[in-house]
Amino acid sequence: MKIVKTLLELRSARATFTGSLGLVPTMGYLHRGHLSLVQSARAENEFVAASIFVNPAQFESVDDLDDYPRDLERDLDLLDTHNVDLVWAPDRSEMYPHGYQTYVTVNQLTSGLEGGRRPGHMRGVTTIVSKLLIAFRPDRAYFGQKDAQQVCVVRRLVADLGFPVEVVTCPTVRESDGLALSSRNARLSVDQRQASTVLFRALSAASVAFAEGQRDGDKLCGLMSDVVATEPLADARYIAITEVETLQDLRQLPEQVLASLAVCIGQVVLIDNMVLGET
Ligand code: PAF
């Protein structure tokens, strides 16, 4: 596995790959969710690359950025074990050189959910993903369904700017009790970890009600909110039922909708989602 730091090194390493390339963009502190993306990329491409970069532009606050867990050595070992060919782990100054002022924005899709609550977050994501797609020129790029809005926004970005890449969405990987894997889970105390299953419980309740015929979006949101309220350590940031691709709010529901929520457990904000009515 080749590990590079600078854009110039990345370009020359990239030039040696003549077959299809799958890219797994990450912010490191890898878990089984990331590794499932690597496995999909490995199965579908001749070469696999990953990036590790904790992107300051997508964090709400300096504290949140500083608290984000990091372990580069361990990440590199894991990627090596999973037969990744190339890793780019740039410094901040390599990604955002002195005087940096160019950003990529997707408008409407970013106005609700995470984008609505975290000003600048989605702009940070779309900027860094654009830079990664330009630098790596992958044939396929892999993202987890856990960040459902990110996937919709990246698909829009790729279509609008005509990036020659296929965006591949991989299913959310969960712990046995339903908690979606996230690097942020490492920051939960034992009690908070127990409380964190409330996101999956709320989504599951909405899924059951939807399967039983409930098609009133407000009622489904109310149901999820009631489940979250049963957990004293949890505080709902948003709960939404939206169209799956446009992320528009819905009242009378079609046969497939996206249920999403963000919940604060102490200082940690967890997000999760489920497509209801998925066959
Ligand atoms: O999903 C993530 O880890 C990040 O948002 C991404 C796509 C690597 C961009 O920084």
Side-chain angles (χ1 to χ4, degrees), residues 25-28 34 51 53-55 58 68 121 124-125 128-129 132 143-144 147 150 154:
T26 83
M27 295 204 301
H34 296 111
S51 60
F53 180 64
V54 183
N55 177 25
Q58 69 187 77
Y68 198 81
H121 168 68
V125 171
I128 206 72
V129 169
L132 292 171
F143 297 87
D147 298 304
Q150 172 168 283
V154 167

Side-chain angles (χ1 to χ4, degrees), residues 96 98 130 171 182 199 217 227 252 272:
Y96 295 109
H98 179 68
S130 302
S182 161
L199 285 90
V227 175
Q252 271 316 111
D272 201 353

